[in-house]
DNA sequence: TCTATATCACCC
DNA sequence: AAACGGGTGATATAGA
């Protein structure tokens, strides 16, 4: 293979990691392609090294599978990070994205896909268990771990041989660059108000019980769960005809809302169901230092978005729980998110200048209403709030390919009104629709969809036109945030978490304003690089210790829960506990994972 | 009693 | 046939 690199190093670490904590490297194996040179380092010898035992400069290609893990070990060891990173996990995801993969997208799955030999899954599991058990290790165990680590490195060499011809190196290196950013972010983590988190975990079931005690007037809940059978009896008793699907009561929020209109007693049940559904806090991964850390699962989604575990990641559960985000003393944090990101992206990549004008106006929704001729040219959010809201709902509907029926339901207006709004979108943004229709048709014919930086969807299986239509916006959104995260972390700014169209950054309180300004400037620059000069705006919400993050959608729920906590604790001297109810203490325990 | 599947709710 | 994109996860129910 021809590559403009003096050295090509294949690298793998085994490491120990307790839930919420950064990784602790156990051993390292590295092999160089041309010379076949092999390096094996175990335990203490690794910790003594001040830098990697191989070059990591711009003339060296660093190859790994899921490189954020390896870079995480570099960060733990305080080694300079490799300059050129090629991640075969990411390239395999890109090569097969959209296709069914019977063996998954792990290293073994990739080997199987290319018909290459490697170790068995059972052996990999055994070795993984050995790594997550943690030290100390016997000589035999250490040798086994090193041999296993080496088998992954050797597999990697074979894999690159097969994949090389498919790899678009400059763009692959851009993706690799993000793997380093992801490693920095995974290491930084999000600061959590640990005392409040502990109170919440300790009193979880008691809070739930209190809410139920207040509001479950008809005894529809049992052991904290809504019981459909009891609800059926309740309906029978009260002579209420309820929508049924396949012999079962429809219990979704929409049905409850609809039924609540006619039956006021249903409204209170619906409200309680809604409140309780937001009470989830099980496995949030909080490290010993009070920071929430978890695998970001980069490039996991078809659109290349990150897809971290919703239960481990503080941004996964309901927004009210973000009240747990609190910078430590002397620090401040900021949630910086792109404004109407998908609308701006759609405008830019379709080349629809009318749509671009709407974005540039600062209020795309109002601009749409004006451009469609539905309101006077000088209409504003203040003068025409109702129109703006309708056009906003229409824009969001278009982004997901919503039809007139669903849009009508969402707006609470007639089908013809919804149809008219969607027509106005088609008429106003002709270029966008022409471009999007062409693209969907070509994908339906089996041609791949590709972002400007090469993230690809290979249409396979049952195709969904709405999914294909949405792909470019979402995938370019992911490209933009990846580039922004790379630039911001490389600039030395602490990024706690990426959230699809947003970054949470942290800094000393007296530096936060300049850090936010720098972050916003880099995010704007990242958007212009991906969108060929078109710039996306961003908003920033800053909060300084002892303030906590407060998403307006969750403020009420946060207040309710905190009041109940105070109430519960006022009545008890010892630990709060309800007989027979197990508190989810697992949330405070540590668990181990490994490469 | 355990597991697979469907449903539902949450996030951007 | 369905008609709201990309996801994760909790829970209820059905089936072995």
């Amino acid at each position: 293979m021809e590559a403009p690199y003096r050295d090509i190093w294949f690298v793998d670490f085994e490491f120990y990691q307790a839930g919420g904590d950064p990784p602790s490297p156990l051993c390292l194996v590295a092999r160089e392609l041309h010379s076949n040179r092999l390096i094996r380092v175990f335990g203490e010898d690794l910790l003594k090294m001040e830098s990697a035992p191989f070059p990591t400069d711009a003339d060296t290609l660093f190859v790994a599978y899921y490189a954020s893990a390896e870079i995480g070990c570099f960060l733990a060891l305080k080694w300079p990070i490799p300059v050129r990173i090629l991640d075969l996990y990411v390239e395999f995801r890109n090569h097969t994205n959209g296709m069914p993969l019977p063996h998954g997208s792990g290293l073994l799955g990739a080997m199987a896909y290319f018909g290459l030999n490697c170790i068995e899954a059972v052996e990999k599991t055994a070795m993984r268990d050995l790594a997550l058990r943690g030290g100390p290790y016997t000589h035999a165990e250490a040798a086994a771990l090193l041999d296993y680590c080496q088998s992954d490195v050797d597999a990697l060499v074979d894999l690159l041989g097969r994949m090389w011809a498919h790899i678009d190196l400059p763009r692959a290196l851009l993706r690799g660059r993000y793997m380093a950013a992801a490693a920095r972010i995974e290491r930084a983590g999000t600061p959590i108000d640990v005392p409040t988190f502990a109170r919440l975990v300790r009193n979880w079931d008691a809070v739930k019980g209190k809410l139920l005690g207040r509001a479950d007037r008809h005894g529809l809940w049992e052991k904290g769960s809504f019981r459909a059978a009891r609800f059926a009896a309740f309906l029978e008793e009260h002579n209420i005809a309820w929508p049924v699907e396949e012999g079962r009561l429809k219990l979704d929020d929409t049905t409850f809302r609809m039924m609540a209109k006619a039956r006021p007693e249903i409204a209170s049940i619906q409200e309680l169901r809604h409140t309780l559904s937001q009470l989830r806090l099980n496995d949030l991964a909080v490290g010993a230092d009070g920071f929430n850390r978890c695998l970001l699962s980069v490039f996991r989604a078809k659109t290349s978005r990150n897809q971290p575990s919703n239960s481990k990641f503080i941004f996964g559960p309901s927004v009210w729980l973000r009240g747990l985000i609190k910078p430590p003393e002397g620090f401040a944090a900021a949630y910086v998110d792109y404004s109407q990101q998908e609308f701006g992206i759609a405008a830019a990549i379709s080349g629809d200048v009318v749509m671009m004008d709407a974005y540039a106006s600062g209020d795309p929704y109002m601009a749409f209403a004006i451009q469609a001729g539905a309101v006077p040219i000088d209409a504003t959010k203040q003068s025409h709030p109702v129109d703006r809201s309708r056009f906003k709902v229409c824009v969001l509907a278009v982004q997901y390919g919503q039809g007139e029926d669903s849009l009508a339901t969402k707006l609470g207006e007639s089908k013809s009104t919804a149809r008219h709004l969607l027509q106005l979108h088609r008429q106003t943004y002709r270029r966008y629709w022409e471009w999007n229709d062409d693209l969907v048709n070509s994908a339906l014919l089996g041609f791949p969809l590709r972002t400007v930086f090469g993230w690809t969807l290979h249409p396979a299986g049952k195709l969904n036109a709405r999914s294909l239509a949405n792909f470019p916006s979402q995938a370019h959104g992911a490209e933009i945030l990846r580039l922004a995260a790379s630039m911001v972390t490389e600039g030395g700014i602490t990024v706690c978490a990426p959230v699809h169209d947003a970054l949470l950054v942290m800094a000393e309180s007296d530096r936060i304003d300049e850090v936010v300004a720098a972050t916003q400037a880099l995010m704007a620059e990242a958007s212009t690089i991906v969108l060929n000069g078109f710039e996306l705006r961003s908003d920033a919400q800053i909060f300084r210790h002892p303030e906590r993050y407060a998403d307006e959608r969750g403020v009420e729920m946060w207040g309710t829960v905190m009041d109940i906590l105070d109430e519960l604790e006022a009545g008890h001297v010892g630990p709060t506990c309800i007989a027979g109810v197990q508190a989810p203490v697992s949330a405070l325990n540590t668990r181990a994972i490994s490469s």
Side-chain angles (χ1 to χ4, degrees):
Chain A
M1 75 187 60
E2 287 295 320
Y5 292 97
R6 184 192 61 218
D7 288 356
I8 300 181
W9 281 94
F10 297 83
V11 180
D12 188 40
F13 281 90
E14 299 307 316
F15 56 90
Y16 170 82
Q17 188 168 24
D21 285 332
S24 308
L26 294 174
C27 67
L28 159 74
V29 173
R31 190 190 283 283
E32 203 282 317
L33 183 73
H34 309 299
S35 63
N36 210 30
R37 208 181 134 206
L38 181 71
I39 298 174
R40 292 165 46 120
V41 191
F42 194 90
E44 286 297 316
D45 295 336
L46 202 56
L47 308 182
K48 279 186 278 187
M49 293 178 161
E50 283 175 11
S51 65
F54 46 82
T56 52
D57 61 348
D59 293 324
T60 304
L61 188 62
F62 176 95
V63 185
Y65 206 87
Y66 218 103
S68 58
E70 273 58 52
I71 307 302
C73 288
F74 269 66
L75 292 170
L77 294 162
K78 297 190 165 61
W79 292 357
I81 291 176
V83 178
R84 303 280 182 249
I85 299 167
L86 175 63
D87 190 323
L88 294 189
Y89 159 73
V90 178
E91 297 316 300
F92 182 67
R93 277 282 302 115
N94 196 27
H95 184 65
T96 56
N97 185 36
M99 304 173 187
L101 288 177
H103 304 285
S105 47
L107 177 59
L108 267 46
M111 297 298 280
Y113 178 89
F114 288 104
L116 295 165
N117 289 325
C118 68
I119 63 159
E120 299 290 327
V122 276
E123 194 188 337
K124 198 172 181 76
T125 307
M127 285 298 123
R128 178 175 303 204
D129 289 344
L130 184 58
L132 68 78
R133 190 202 73 193
Y137 295 100
T138 65
H139 284 296
E141 286 172 336
L145 276 170
L146 272 170
D147 288 347
Y148 160 59
C149 197
Q150 185 177 332
S151 76
D152 275 1
V153 168
D154 291 338
L156 212 50
V157 177
D158 293 344
L159 187 59
L160 183 63
R162 289 296 178 92
M163 291 189 65
W164 185 255
H166 304 293
I167 291 174
D168 173 357
L169 197 56
R171 287 163 169 180
L173 292 178
L174 179 67
R175 292 184 277 272
R177 178 179 166 195
Y178 175 65
M179 294 309 276
R184 290 187 207 102
I185 297 170
E186 285 174 355
R187 184 168 182 84
T190 301
I192 297 296
D193 174 359
V194 175
T196 305
F197 174 54
R199 286 172 71 205
L200 217 42
V201 170
R202 205 182 319 126
N203 295 287
W204 200 238
D205 285 302
V207 169
K208 204 167 173 178
K210 200 102 183 172
L211 277 167
L212 280 170
R214 277 184 191 176
D216 183 21
R217 283 192 289 276
H218 309 290
L220 302 177
W221 273 261
E222 185 188 325
K223 288 183 191 162
S225 295
F226 183 78
R227 300 291 164 179
R230 289 188 178 202
F231 185 54
F234 165 85
L235 292 172
E236 182 121 3
E237 205 176 300
H238 291 76
N239 260 320
I240 301 172
W242 194 268
V244 169
E245 203 173 71
E246 291 186 8
R248 286 158 63 175
L249 295 171
K250 280 185 68 115
L251 297 173
D252 59 294
D253 203 51
T254 315
T255 304
F256 265 91
R257 269 179 217 283
M258 188 187 76
M259 294 302 287
K261 279 181 198 158
R263 290 280 187 162
E265 64 266 45
I266 299 296
S268 61
I269 298 172
Q270 187 265 331
E271 197 182 319
L272 184 55
R273 275 174 59 87
H274 186 252
T275 305
L276 287 169
S277 75
Q278 293 189 303
L279 275 175
R280 286 190 281 151
L281 176 80
N282 301 318
D283 282 325
L284 198 67
V286 180
D289 60 354
F291 280 69
N292 167 235
R293 292 186 191 85
C294 73
L295 200 64
L296 293 172
S297 292
V298 293
F299 296 95
R300 189 68 271 178
K302 282 191 213 176
T303 55
S304 79
R305 276 186 176 181
N306 304 326
Q307 210 54 250
S309 156
N310 271 346
S311 53
K312 293 187 175 70
F313 190 48
I314 184 62
F315 289 96
S318 305
V319 286
W320 72 270
L321 274 165
R322 294 179 191 181
L324 287 173
I325 301 174
K326 183 179 173 182
E329 209 174 337
F331 285 83
Y335 188 83
V336 189
D337 65 327
Y338 285 110
S339 322
Q340 300 92 29
Q341 193 198 33
E342 285 204 7
F343 185 92
I345 291 170
I349 58 181
S350 67
D352 188 318
V353 292
V354 183
M355 206 171 177
M356 288 159 82
D357 279 350
Y359 185 85
S361 78
D363 186 349
Y365 310 129
M366 202 70 254
F368 172 30
I370 295 169
Q371 289 166 333
V375 295
I377 198 156
D378 56 355
T380 64
K381 192 174 178 175
Q382 286 71 36
S383 69
H384 292 74
V386 177
D387 289 293
R388 182 179 180 278
S389 163
R390 288 164 74 233
F391 280 81
K392 174 179 177 174
V393 173
C394 175
V395 162
L396 298 174
V398 166
Q399 267 158 213
Y400 297 153
Q402 208 168 35
E404 57 195 47
D405 290 314
S406 317
L407 179 56
T409 308
K410 187 142 216 158
L411 286 168
E413 299 192 48
S414 71
K415 216 166 117 173
S416 64
T417 304
R419 187 183 310 133
H420 181 60
L421 273 170
L422 290 170
Q423 269 167 2
L424 285 177
H425 195 285
R426 273 194 175 267
Q427 282 166 19
T428 310
Y429 304 127
R430 281 214 179 83
R431 172 86 186 106
Y432 163 77
W433 279 99
E434 222 170 84
W435 168 86
N436 197 258
D437 288 345
D438 282 353
L439 186 132
V440 169
N441 287 330
S442 105
L444 288 172
L445 288 171
F447 294 101
L449 292 179
R450 198 163 273 134
T451 67
V452 290
F453 290 154
W455 185 257
T456 306
L457 178 72
H458 305 275
K462 245 173 71 179
L463 300 178
N464 176 342
R466 294 176 301 283
S467 165
L468 299 169
N470 180 252
F471 177 85
S473 297
Q474 200 177 119
H476 281 97
E479 292 276 16
I480 291 168
L481 199 71
R482 278 200 297 277
L483 183 56
S486 301
M487 293 163 68
V488 171
T489 56
E490 285 161 13
I493 292 172
T494 300
V495 175
C496 304
V499 196
H500 302 312
D501 69 343
L503 296 174
L504 182 75
V505 296
M506 190 178 91
E508 290 82 357
S509 291
D510 55 3
R511 285 185 57 236
I512 192 68
D513 291 316
E514 59 176 283
V515 163
V516 167
T519 300
Q520 290 191 283
L522 290 169
M523 284 171 69
E525 191 184 342
S527 70
T528 64
I529 292 170
V530 175
L531 301 179
N532 194 23
F534 191 74
E535 187 174 308
L536 299 180
R537 293 179 302 275
S538 61
D539 296 312
Q541 190 184 343
I542 299 175
F543 47 107
R544 297 174 163 81
H545 180 93
E547 287 171 347
R548 56 183 75 252
Y549 182 80
D551 187 299
E552 59 180 16
R553 294 163 299 174
V555 169
E556 194 186 330
M557 183 68 179
W558 178 265
T560 302
V561 174
M562 289 304 123
D563 286 348
I564 290 178
L565 271 185
D566 291 342
E567 241 176 77
L568 283 166
E569 287 170 348
H572 293 263
V573 182
T576 310
C577 182
I578 286 184
V581 180
Q582 188 81 38
V585 286
S586 67
L588 284 177
N589 289 342
T590 53
R591 287 160 318 282
I593 56 169
S594 147
S595 64

